[in-house]
Amino acid sequence: MDDDGPFVETSITARLRGCKGDVLARWTRRVRDDPEAERPAEPVLVRKVPDLFDDLVEVLSASRRAEQRGGEDAELVGASARVEEHARLCAAQGHCIAAALRELSHLRAALLEVCVEQGISLGVREAQVLHAALDATMWTTAVEIEAATRAALEDGAARLRLATRAGGVGVWDYDLVTGKLRWDERTREVAGLDRELEVRYDLFLASIHPDDRARVEEAVRRSQTPESGGEYSVEYRVVGLCDRVERWIAVQGRTFFDAAGRGVRMLGTVIDVTDRKQAEAARREELLLRDRFMAAFSHYLNTPLTSITLAASVLAHHGNLTPRQARNVERIATSARRMARTINDLLDMNRSRFGGSVPIAPKPEDLHALCKSAVDELRVAHRDVPIQLDVQGSGAGLWDPERIAQMVTNLVQNAIDHADPGSAVGVTVRPRGSGERGGGGERGSGDRGGGDDELLIEVHNDGPAIAPELLETLFDPFHRAAVRGRRSTGRGLGLGLFIAQQIARAHGGAIEVESKAARGTTFTARLPRRAGAAGS
């Protein structure tokens, strides 16, 4: 290729353009067979390399013509600029630097291999120009992608700082190898630490309230064990190192481990939750005062209620009353009993809402007998509603008899209130897994040995289905569901289902409900034979 004439130059570029398909095919194979590269669906520069190849040939051609003219000219500068533009386009697509550079190196190798195979002999000048163009492309690609990556990282960091500042979130970083602890400005504010003071681990420990320090140190140690997954989440009090202000903070973080499973770094966030904690404390105090008030108020009301109940009992048995007077006395006694139950419900509700539970005194009892007693009382009060009881298996277990009777009464009363007029209410007591709810009559299926650990009390009524959106709040206190536009006609304040649920939980069980238009509604109380033996 020592001939400087236009024929040689034209011959080289023409032959290179004719080999474009072979060069691209070889390039594609080299990229896909590269053992050190990832295996994407296609090369990242697959849409750029064909045009880049054309521009490289054009640079070669322009260089040859410029040489014949005695130096570089605008044509060569323009061709070289088009080559570098491809590099900038690669950067704009967000390609990885390593992947782009490897693919450009494979293009160089593919081009040279095809030249050798096709007998295209490049002179020193042509080889220098071709290598220089590819080197410039690779350099520009690396610079542009690095700049774009740095800009994206800086933008992301700026967005993170803005978000954390707006949300009042502090960020901290603890290097477990060097012991270096870094707090951002917000974390320093929360810890009451001046900007000038250096953050050290001993200062971090000193900022923790003495009553919480051991708990926090244990949480840190636990997060640095691989079996913990590195999770670090704790709420505790701090006392400002400089301002001495006590604050509650919520800290979230994670420990990162090396290949040997040693903790090497902890990263996390901190949020000031003092307002929430103070509100929670105020709420607890409010509930405590309310509970004390309700307890005092109930004792105050129970005294006159006891007198009313005793007086009504004496009149009913020894008053020599007329039938009308006897009915009025019975109304007085019934109203007094209802008021006493309402007071007890309110007391139970307050205990549960305050974080306690309904008190129970379990002892060996027959659940069948307890349910039968409760059903018999309801039959007397609701003579127009058929209440069917079906008991199966053994009813032996540990139960609080008064609480179980209260739970059954509440569930059956609720079923009566919402049943279709004239329809029956069914109550089934059976071991779990012993079959479906029976219906009709009052019968036993014999003792099956009591081997099942749980008994079920199922209370069924035919009536309108409970709307799905109401199921989530059905057991909330003061919930009184409307039926066909009316409210429950039962006694109380809408605490019946809530109290029933609390009694089941106190026995270690739970209550579930299933309601379908075609099948009616069934409340199922699940009770372990040993009270408190199962969680709710």
Side-chain angles (χ1 to χ4, degrees):
M1 296 299 170
D2 296 329
D3 189 347
D4 292 338
F7 172 79
V8 175
E9 188 276 331
T10 302
S11 174
I12 292 176
T13 55
R15 292 185 66 185
L16 284 174
R17 288 193 176 97
C19 296
K20 179 177 180 178
D22 292 338
V23 173
L24 296 181
R26 184 178 293 272
W27 170 75
T28 302
R29 287 196 302 271
R30 289 183 62 89
V31 171
R32 290 179 175 170
D33 294 342
D34 189 341
E36 298 183 15
E38 296 183 1
R39 298 290 189 274
E42 61 181 12
V44 297
L45 302 182
V46 67
R47 293 179 177 81
K48 304 292 186 299
V49 164
D51 291 338
L52 177 58
F53 176 85
D54 292 339
D55 287 338
L56 287 173
V57 175
E58 183 58 31
V59 167
L60 195 60
S61 178
S63 174
R64 185 65 173 175
R65 290 193 294 271
E67 183 182 8
Q68 292 175 341
R69 295 174 188 142
E72 291 192 1
D73 59 11
E75 184 181 12
L76 176 58
V77 173
S80 300
R82 285 193 296 274
V83 171
E84 293 190 9
E85 181 60 24
H86 284 288
R88 279 182 279 273
L89 289 174
C90 292
Q93 297 298 319
H95 296 312
C96 169
I97 293 179
L101 294 184
R102 292 188 70 83
E103 291 188 9
L104 288 172
S105 69
H106 285 307
L107 177 60
R108 184 202 306 268
L111 183 57
L112 295 177
E113 288 172 359
V114 169
C115 284
V116 172
E117 290 179 358
Q118 297 296 325
I120 302 174
S121 179
L122 297 176
V124 174
R125 171 71 175 179
E126 288 84 0
Q128 289 176 339
V129 169
L130 194 59
H131 284 300
L134 278 167
D135 289 343
T137 301
M138 297 174 73
W139 172 261
T140 303
T141 298
V143 171
E144 291 289 339
I145 294 179
E146 183 185 20
T149 303
R150 187 184 302 112
L153 290 174
E154 291 176 353
D155 181 63
R159 290 175 182 270
L160 177 60
R161 287 192 297 271
L162 180 62
T164 55
R165 189 179 301 116
V169 180
V171 179
W172 53 269
D173 180 355
Y174 181 32
D175 189 324
L176 299 176
V177 178
T178 65
K180 182 70 173 179
L181 187 60
R182 289 180 288 273
W183 288 354
D184 71 352
E185 183 177 344
R186 178 55 182 164
T187 305
R188 286 174 171 270
E189 290 177 2
V190 171
L193 183 65
D194 288 343
R195 295 182 181 181
E196 292 76 16
L197 287 179
E198 179 186 359
V199 183
R200 300 189 310 275
Y201 193 78
D202 61 335
L203 283 180
F204 156 68
L205 292 178
S207 70
I208 303 172
H209 192 285
D211 294 343
D212 297 340
R213 191 170 297 149
R215 179 168 57 87
V216 176
E217 287 187 278
E218 174 58 27
V220 173
R221 282 193 295 269
R222 186 170 57 250
S223 74
Q224 294 175 10
T225 58
E227 55 269 21
S228 71
E231 294 293 333
Y232 175 57
S233 177
V234 62
E235 291 187 356
Y236 57 90
R237 291 164 292 177
V238 295
V239 180
L241 292 170
C242 296
D243 59 16
R244 308 309 299 168
V245 175
E246 182 177 311
R247 303 176 180 87
W248 272 96
I249 62 174
V251 182
Q252 300 284 336
R254 178 181 291 275
T255 300
F256 296 88
F257 303 92
D258 62 13
R262 295 184 295 266
V264 294
R265 191 177 185 184
M266 291 184 71
L267 296 173
T269 60
V270 58
I271 300 176
D272 188 334
V273 293
T274 304
D275 291 344
R276 172 170 65 81
K277 285 292 187 177
Q278 290 176 345
E280 290 173 356
R283 179 60 177 166
R284 286 194 298 270
E285 181 66 22
E286 178 186 350
L287 290 174
L288 179 60
L289 291 174
R290 184 184 301 176
D291 188 54
R292 291 172 177 169
F293 169 77
M294 291 303 301
F297 188 59
S298 67
H299 289 301
Y300 174 78
L301 291 179
N302 275 330
T303 299
L305 275 176
T306 300
S307 299
I308 293 171
T309 301
L310 288 174
S313 178
V314 170
L315 285 173
H317 291 87
H318 307 290
N320 194 22
L321 306 175
T322 65
R324 181 176 181 180
Q325 290 171 333
R327 288 194 298 273
N328 289 334
V329 169
E330 177 59 27
R331 290 194 186 99
I332 293 172
T334 299
S335 297
R337 289 193 295 270
R338 182 179 300 170
M339 183 175 291
R341 287 194 296 266
T342 299
I343 292 171
N344 289 333
D345 283 351
L346 286 170
L347 285 172
D348 290 339
M349 186 271 294
N350 271 274
R351 291 190 190 98
S352 300
R353 292 285 288 271
F354 189 59
S357 61
V358 172
I360 61 172
K363 60 183 180 178
E365 291 283 351
D366 186 342
L367 189 63
H368 296 168
L370 298 178
C371 291
K372 183 178 183 303
S373 176
V375 168
D376 286 344
E377 289 188 13
L378 288 163
R379 283 171 174 163
V380 173
H382 301 279
R383 299 182 184 277
D384 56 334
V385 179
I387 306 176
Q388 302 168 344
L389 176 63
D390 177 18
V391 296
Q392 304 173 14
S394 169
L398 293 176
W399 330 99
D400 184 316
E402 293 186 4
R403 290 298 191 180
I404 292 295
Q406 183 183 9
M407 181 188 72
V408 173
T409 298
N410 289 356
L411 292 176
V412 176
Q413 180 66 61
N414 179 75
I416 292 171
D417 291 343
H418 297 83
D420 284 335
S423 66
V425 169
V427 180
T428 301
V429 185
R430 63 179 178 87
R432 187 173 187 178
S434 67
E436 298 301 323
R437 178 183 59 86
E442 184 174 315
R443 61 187 186 277
S445 303
D447 190 345
R448 302 185 183 181
D452 293 62
D453 291 334
E454 290 184 332
L455 293 184
L456 303 182
I457 302 175
E458 298 171 329
V459 179
H460 175 83
N461 72 283
D462 293 319
I466 301 172
E469 62 270 15
L470 296 180
L471 290 175
E472 295 182 0
T473 60
L474 198 61
F475 293 96
D476 289 352
F478 306 113
H479 178 93
R480 302 181 68 192
V483 180
R484 293 193 183 98
R486 62 180 173 83
R487 290 284 181 180
S488 167
T489 58
R491 66 172 178 83
L493 302 172
L495 294 173
L497 292 180
F498 173 78
I499 298 300
Q501 181 194 56
Q502 297 303 313
I503 293 173
R505 287 180 173 175
H507 281 80
I511 296 181
E512 301 167 351
V513 59
E514 181 181 6
S515 186
K516 304 289 184 183
R519 299 169 57 184
T521 299
T522 301
F523 284 83
T524 302
R526 172 175 54 81
L527 300 173
R529 288 186 186 272
R530 291 182 65 250
S536 60

